[in-house]
Amino acid sequence: MKRIIPYATQWIDKEDIGAVTKALKSDYLTQGPRVKEFEKRVASLAGAKYAVAVNSGTSALHIACLAAGIGRNDEVIVPAITFVASANCVLYCGGIPKFCDVREDTINIDVNDLKKKITKKTKAVISVDFAGCPADLAEIKKIAGKKGLIVIEDASHALGAKYKGDYVGYGKYSDMTIFSFHAVKNITTAEGGMVVTNNERLYKKLLLFRSHGITRDADLLQNKNDGAWYYEMHVLGYNYRLTDIQCALGISQLKKLGNFNARRREIVTEYDKAFQKLPGIKVLHRSKDVESANHLYVLRFDSKYFKCPRKDIFEFYRKAGIGVNVHYIPVYYHPFYKKLGYRRGLCPVSEKYYEEAITLPLYPKMTKTQITRVIAVTKEVLAKFSKNN
Ligand SMILES: *Cc1c(COP(=O)(O)O)cnc(C)c1O
């Protein structure tokens, strides 16, 4: 059987395998020196003071919301086009996700709609750097600053991306930035995530929530009289720890991030060149302010130009061996959210985007032949399905 070109896949080499093997043979499997080392390296890359490694991007979002103090009936603004985890983390805390529409050209938060969605109950904004392209972070920060809102940046797609010259996570525009190291992301620890922040108070809370709410920090202990075995539980935390084995992989992968992202950029440039001028097709916009981490490559097929629904185009790609995907279904379309009372019509730009979007394969290990094939099949799509033909 012909192998299908996936939309994304990891790139694990001998060095990664060597690093993991070494960790397996060491004294530490769980919370050893590699966790601290990985945190230090990600913090240093982002330019942030503190980092807390956790077992997934979703856990990172959860403890970020907990550290932000999100609780019952607090409203948190989330873009409608994102992975469900960006909104679920609000529900975990008893809060209410308020869906905000996205910009038509970047699919990042539309700051005008953001302003409209703020109420007296709004406590935070979770902005998503869609497809690896940082959102309008300066404007989001300005709006949040005026209203006293906490900004959590979901940079699951954006490790290594830059905004106005600073690496995402630098802390100028967000109180906490989260990354995911799931296998399809820009680097991987299989599953894994991290929160970076410059705020020491938030950092201490994140540490507590990561590990059962337990502390051994002498400054924090309420009872100072017991012995060296003693620890205290101060909040209801979780076990969200990332293993030393996974951090070994993370450290090794991080060394390649620069090359990975450079390769992603090359492929995107090639795609853009091939697709930009094709009728009925739109590519994502990237402003001059940003350097995208190019996590996803999305094409939009304008329904006015095609004689079939997006679904038929999607099926055509799949039959041609191209593992296309769709990112994302508006979060509030999901039956669980429908049950909570969310209805269609909330975010019109997001809804229209969803009708048109198809994600093409993009990953550093992609070969020239695979890229050429994706471009050729896209041209076949136009020849077959355009109204003009
Ligand atoms: C992948 C992803 C997450 C969740 O990360 P996991 O590590 O899979 O838990 C959250 N938000 C966005 C935008 C993502 O793409």
Side-chain angles (χ1 to χ4, degrees):
M1 205 186 84
K2 211 169 78 183
R3 275 186 69 176
I4 148 160
I5 304 173
Y7 90 90
T9 187
Q10 71 277 10
W11 190 346
I12 301 292
D13 66 10
K14 268 197 207 134
E15 221 174 64
D16 296 324
I17 294 165
V20 170
T21 308
K22 207 168 142 201
L24 278 168
K25 290 177 180 165
S26 78
D27 292 337
Y28 295 93
L29 294 183
T30 59
Q31 295 286 283
R34 290 172 188 87
V35 177
K36 284 219 162 65
E37 169 85 16
F38 187 38
E39 287 173 339
K40 212 173 90 191
R41 288 187 185 218
V42 173
S44 148
L45 168 81
K49 275 196 196 135
Y50 309 103
V52 178
V54 287
N55 59 5
S56 74
T58 304
S59 309
L61 283 163
H62 186 192
I63 63 169
C65 284
L66 289 168
I70 306 303
R72 193 146 298 281
N73 295 328
D74 289 332
E75 292 179 0
V76 178
I77 298 172
V78 184
I81 298 292
T82 184
F83 184 54
V84 290
S86 317
N88 290 349
C89 57
V90 178
L91 294 176
Y92 295 157
C93 302
I96 303 167
K98 292 284 273 193
F99 292 102
C100 171
D101 216 341
V102 295
R103 274 173 61 151
E104 209 273 329
D105 57 351
T106 60
I107 315 303
N108 278 326
I109 279 193
D110 172 355
V111 291
N112 292 318
D113 199 46
L114 170 64
K115 283 183 209 156
K116 288 185 204 147
K117 296 282 157 79
I118 295 172
T119 72
K120 283 204 174 65
K121 292 203 280 181
T122 309
K123 199 144 188 188
V125 181
I126 298 177
S127 81
V128 176
D129 299 326
F130 183 77
C133 190
D136 299 309
L137 300 173
E139 282 154 80
I140 292 169
K141 176 71 184 171
K142 206 165 105 192
I143 296 162
K146 270 190 206 148
K147 303 278 180 179
L149 312 179
I150 288 182
V151 179
I152 298 169
E153 183 180 358
D154 180 348
S156 294
H157 298 179
L159 186 68
K162 283 183 179 173
Y163 178 76
K164 292 185 192 279
D166 295 317
Y167 278 107
V168 156
Y170 181 55
K172 208 149 128 189
Y173 307 107
S174 62
D175 298 284
M176 287 171 276
T177 297
I178 80 99
F179 299 111
S180 163
F181 311 121
H182 178 273
V184 300
K185 303 291 158 76
N186 293 44
I187 67 160
T188 189
T189 58
E191 299 276 4
M194 201 166 308
V195 188
V196 300
T197 182
N198 280 339
N199 182 315
E200 190 182 4
R201 187 182 57 84
L202 291 173
Y203 171 62
K204 290 199 162 160
K205 285 190 179 179
L206 292 166
L207 289 178
L208 277 178
F209 285 118
R210 169 173 70 182
S211 202
H212 308 284
I214 285 173
T215 184
R216 291 174 186 276
D217 184 338
D219 294 338
L220 297 179
L221 294 180
Q222 289 173 16
N223 173 1
K224 316 250 185 215
N225 301 323
D226 285 26
W229 71 87
Y230 187 70
Y231 56 84
E232 286 175 355
M233 178 187 145
H234 286 177
V235 295
L236 186 61
Y238 298 81
N239 177 356
Y240 280 167
R241 295 185 302 258
L242 189 62
T243 67
D244 231 47
I245 307 164
Q246 288 170 290
C247 288
L249 179 55
I251 294 162
S252 178
Q253 284 264 300
L254 198 59
K255 291 178 190 159
K256 301 173 235 274
L257 177 70
N259 288 340
F260 283 172
N261 283 358
R263 181 62 188 141
R264 285 177 179 275
R265 194 175 321 123
E266 276 173 15
I267 299 168
V268 164
T269 306
E270 207 163 323
Y271 275 167
D272 276 352
K273 218 166 64 195
F275 302 140
Q276 239 153 12
K277 296 216 169 76
L278 296 182
I281 285 186
K282 252 190 307 194
V283 305
L284 289 177
H285 171 74
R286 288 175 292 276
S287 92
K288 294 211 162 41
D289 273 353
V290 307
E291 200 175 288
S292 175
N294 295 303
H295 175 62
L296 297 174
Y297 193 88
V298 175
L299 279 186
R300 266 176 293 171
F301 294 84
D302 186 338
S303 55
K304 288 198 293 292
Y305 284 83
F306 293 92
K307 38 187 177 206
C308 61
R310 184 259 321 257
K311 190 174 161 201
D312 296 5
I313 299 174
F314 185 94
E315 288 301 329
F316 183 83
Y317 273 115
R318 281 277 174 100
K319 283 203 187 98
I322 314 290
V324 286
N325 215 317
V326 172
H327 296 90
Y328 294 93
I329 304 157
V331 176
Y332 58 82
Y333 277 19
H334 289 287
F336 184 82
Y337 278 85
K338 217 150 82 188
K339 213 170 58 198
L340 294 177
Y342 295 91
R343 290 291 173 264
R344 288 186 184 225
L346 265 181
C347 299
V349 179
S350 301
E351 295 186 10
K352 177 153 190 298
Y353 162 81
Y354 171 60
E355 296 302 318
E356 303 178 341
I358 291 182
T359 306
L360 299 187
L362 172 60
Y363 48 92
K365 211 178 179 178
M366 249 185 127
T367 64
K368 180 108 192 71
T369 319
Q370 289 174 323
I371 299 163
T372 308
R373 174 86 187 127
V374 174
I375 294 172
V377 173
T378 303
K379 289 184 174 159
E380 282 175 39
V381 165
L382 263 96
K384 192 170 159 61
F385 298 113
S386 292
K387 277 182 183 161
N388 301 332
N389 294 321

